């Protein structure tokens, strides 16, 4: 029964507190003569009076007061219902409208006299500093819990961001190395193209030399070139040897150009592959010393002079070797 009293009081009080006084006007339904615009102000005052009783403290009131609040709230709501159900078609509708507005206005004082002690109690209850302190502590604890949770989330996000940053740096490093490797790839392709050209030149010159050898073997039998005197024979022989030597020398140069371009194409392809694999080798190396070794060998492969294909010998100048050996220390000292 006690629970029913509280629930009924809460329901009645909430119904009045949540009522919209603008709904009483009914201008569209009643027109300008019979609407209740004049009663909105009085209804709003009554509703504001009931709203000063916080529902959360309703359970702390005695059951008798809860029942009285329910009764007063039902009286107020019945006034609103009479206006909402007002029928303009009834006889003497204007007098009834005026009576309803006057009744609404007259009910404010009784409501005030009854509710003012309860409003005073609930107002002091709202200023319960002990309750405020408890609520403040609860709010601080809740804020601390949320802060701890947010901190954990930030740590997780930071780890994720760091992982993404490391991945971006790795990709950027690979892209940077790949970008540098393109130069060797381009140079290797250029030498490969030139090697193909000189290969065909060598073939054509070799064919020409073979044709000349066949012709020179029978040229002494041609009547207009046949030697008559020993001097003519010597001249013919020398000319044949000279032409053969020139063609042979051209064949030798063409072959050496082909081999040189082919050699340089292979060297640049080797340097290109070395740059592409450098990042993987550096990542696999454990410790700065091992990375320095990888960097030294990579620098030696890239920057050390290579045999051009024209001259023999691959001796590395001492100054270049010293620069390559000190390169890792130079790069390490320049790294912040």
């Amino acid at each position: 029964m006690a629970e029913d009293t509280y629930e009924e009081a809460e329901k009645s009080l909430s119904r009045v507190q949540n009522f919209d006084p603008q709904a009483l006007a009914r201008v569209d339904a009643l027109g300008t003569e019979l609407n209740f615009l004049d009663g909105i102000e009085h209804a709003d005052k009554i509703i504001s009076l009931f709203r000063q009783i916080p529902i959360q403290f309703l359970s702390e009131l005695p059951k008798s007061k809860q029942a009285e609040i329910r009764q007063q709230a039902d009286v107020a709501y019945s006034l609103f219902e009479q206006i909402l159900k007002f029928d303009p078609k009834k006889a003497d509708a204007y007098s009834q409208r005026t009576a309803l507005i006057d009744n609404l206005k007259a009910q404010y004082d009784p409501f005030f006299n009854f509710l003012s002690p309860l409003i005073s109690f609930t107002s002091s209850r709202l200023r319960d500093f002990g309750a405020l302190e408890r609520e403040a502590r609860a709010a601080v604890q809740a804020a601390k819990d949320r802060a701890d949770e947010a901190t954990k989330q930030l740590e997780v996000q930071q780890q994720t961001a760091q992982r993404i940053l490391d991945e971006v740096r790795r990709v950027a490093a690979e892209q940077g190395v790949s970008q540098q490797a393109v130069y060797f790839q381009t140079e290797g392709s250029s030498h490969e193209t030139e090697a193909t050209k000189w290969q065909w030149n060598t073939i054509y010159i070799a064919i020409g030399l073979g044709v000349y050898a066949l012709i020179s073997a029978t040229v002494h039998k041609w009547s207009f070139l046949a030697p008559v005197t020993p001097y003519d024979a010597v001249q013919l022989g020398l000319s044949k040897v000279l032409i053969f030597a020139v063609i042979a020398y051209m064949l030798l140069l063409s072959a050496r150009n082909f081999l040189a371009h082919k050699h340089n194409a292979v060297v640049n392809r080797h340097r290109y592959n070395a740059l592409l694999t450098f990042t993987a080798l550096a990542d696999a190396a454990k410790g700065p010393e091992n990375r320095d070794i990888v960097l030294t060998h990579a620098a030696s492969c890239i920057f050390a002079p290579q045999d051009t294909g024209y001259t023999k010998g691959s001796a590395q100048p001492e100054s270049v070797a010293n620069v390559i050996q000190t390169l890792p220390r130079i790069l390490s000292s320049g790294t912040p």
Side-chain angles (χ1 to χ4, degrees):
M1 184 63 180
E3 290 295 331
D4 294 341
T5 302
Y6 168 73
E7 292 177 358
E8 291 175 358
E10 182 184 18
K11 181 179 179 181
S12 298
L13 184 59
S14 299
R15 185 171 57 179
V16 175
Q17 289 180 347
N18 297 327
F19 188 82
D20 183 12
Q22 297 296 329
L24 300 177
R26 301 182 61 193
V27 176
D28 295 337
L30 302 177
T32 58
E33 297 294 332
L34 297 178
N35 65 67
F36 286 88
L37 286 174
D38 296 338
I40 291 178
E41 179 183 357
H42 307 300
D44 188 59
K45 289 175 62 178
I46 294 174
I47 294 172
S48 299
L49 196 62
F50 278 94
R51 284 176 179 173
Q52 295 185 49
I53 301 178
I55 293 181
Q56 63 267 31
F57 300 131
L58 188 62
S59 60
E60 299 181 8
L61 297 176
K63 301 303 176 184
S64 59
K65 293 298 181 182
Q66 293 177 5
E68 293 177 0
I69 289 176
R70 178 187 61 79
Q71 181 181 5
Q72 296 297 322
D74 290 342
V75 170
Y77 192 77
S78 66
L79 294 175
F80 303 153
E81 276 193 328
Q82 291 178 19
I83 296 175
L84 293 175
K85 296 179 180 180
F86 174 74
D87 187 2
K89 297 179 181 180
K90 291 184 178 181
D92 201 10
Y94 185 80
S95 300
Q96 292 182 16
R97 166 191 172 275
T98 304
L100 288 174
I101 294 176
D102 293 341
N103 188 23
L104 191 64
K105 179 179 179 181
Q107 288 298 325
Y108 178 77
D109 290 344
F111 287 143
F112 180 84
N113 293 333
F114 173 76
L115 295 176
S116 55
L118 300 177
I119 293 173
S120 299
F121 168 76
T122 52
S123 298
S124 63
R125 182 65 180 83
L126 286 173
R127 292 191 297 269
D128 186 350
F129 295 105
L132 291 177
E133 183 179 1
R134 291 190 297 271
E135 292 176 359
R137 289 178 180 176
V140 170
Q141 184 62 41
K144 183 179 179 181
D145 294 340
R146 287 194 295 269
D148 293 340
E149 183 179 357
T151 302
K152 293 180 181 178
Q153 291 179 355
L154 286 176
E155 291 177 354
V156 174
Q157 292 176 359
Q158 183 179 7
Q159 294 175 359
T160 304
Q162 185 63 39
R163 185 165 58 253
I164 294 174
L165 180 60
D166 293 340
E167 184 67 18
V168 169
R169 287 176 176 173
R170 185 185 65 79
V171 174
E174 292 179 354
Q175 291 296 327
V177 171
S178 301
Q179 181 65 32
Q180 302 303 319
V182 167
Y183 299 122
F184 294 106
Q185 184 184 30
T186 302
E187 190 67 20
S189 299
S190 175
H191 282 293
E192 191 70 36
T193 302
E194 292 296 323
T196 302
K197 293 180 180 178
W198 283 106
Q199 181 181 14
W200 285 107
N201 289 339
T202 303
I203 293 174
Y204 294 149
I205 294 175
I207 293 174
L209 182 60
V211 172
Y212 175 75
L214 292 176
I215 294 175
S216 63
T218 59
V219 70
H220 63 280
K221 297 181 179 180
W222 297 355
S223 58
F224 63 93
L225 291 178
V228 178
T229 64
Y231 178 78
D232 293 337
V234 172
Q235 289 290 332
L236 180 61
L238 289 175
S239 63
K240 290 168 61 178
V241 170
L242 180 61
I243 295 174
F244 184 86
V246 171
I247 297 176
Y249 185 70
M250 291 176 60
L251 177 62
L252 176 64
L253 287 181
S254 180
R256 294 192 66 178
N257 274 289
F258 163 70
L259 294 175
H261 283 294
K262 199 68 177 178
H263 168 76
N264 288 325
V266 172
V267 169
N268 281 280
R269 173 63 64 177
H270 175 68
R271 292 176 175 177
Y272 170 74
N273 293 332
L275 271 180
L276 289 182
T277 58
F278 168 73
T279 303
L281 293 175
D283 291 340
K286 303 297 183 181
E289 296 81 5
N290 295 333
R291 292 182 181 177
D292 288 344
I293 294 175
V294 173
L295 179 59
T296 300
H297 285 281
S300 176
C301 174
I302 295 170
F303 298 109
Q306 301 291 335
D307 184 8
T308 62
Y310 287 101
T311 60
K312 299 299 181 182
S314 57
Q316 179 175 305
E318 184 178 356
S319 59
V320 175
N322 292 334
V323 171
I324 293 174
Q325 292 175 0
T326 57
L327 183 59
R329 293 191 290 273
I330 295 174
L331 295 179
S332 299
S333 62
T335 303

